[in-house]
Amino acid sequence: MDFTLLTEEQIFGDNQIDVLKKFGTKCAISDFAILLGGYVDSDFYTSEGETLKNRTGWWWTKTPYDNDARVVD
């Protein structure tokens, strides 16, 4: 499987992609992603509301941080 991970510049920087400019960086997490081990916190939600379907999860970036993976929460 091929994955395309975004760089920090594409997420937060001057080269931020259009969809993130419009909707922000919070990403709803699916039940399937949670079952696969995705991190979810009951205190964080998208701007759409505070229901189970609007819980946010962490997602990976391509940009490393101290030789470790960087996530967006």
Side-chain angles (χ1 to χ4, degrees), residues 9-70:
E9 183 69 20
Q10 292 171 308
I11 299 165
F12 299 111
D14 292 334
N15 292 323
Q16 186 179 42
I17 63 173
D18 291 337
V19 70
L20 295 179
K21 285 179 187 176
K22 184 173 181 177
F23 295 106
T25 59
K26 290 186 178 182
C27 182
I29 189 168
S30 69
D31 290 339
F32 184 64
I34 294 168
L35 288 171
L36 293 175
Y39 178 79
V40 66
D41 189 314
S42 60
D43 292 328
F44 299 100
Y45 298 90
T46 67
S47 59
E48 300 295 315
E50 294 186 5
T51 64
L52 289 178
K53 73 176 186 173
N54 296 315
R55 295 171 297 177
T56 60
W58 291 5
W59 47 282
W60 300 104
T61 72
K62 186 175 184 178
T63 305
Y65 178 75
D66 289 338
N67 293 323
D68 217 348
R70 182 182 295 262

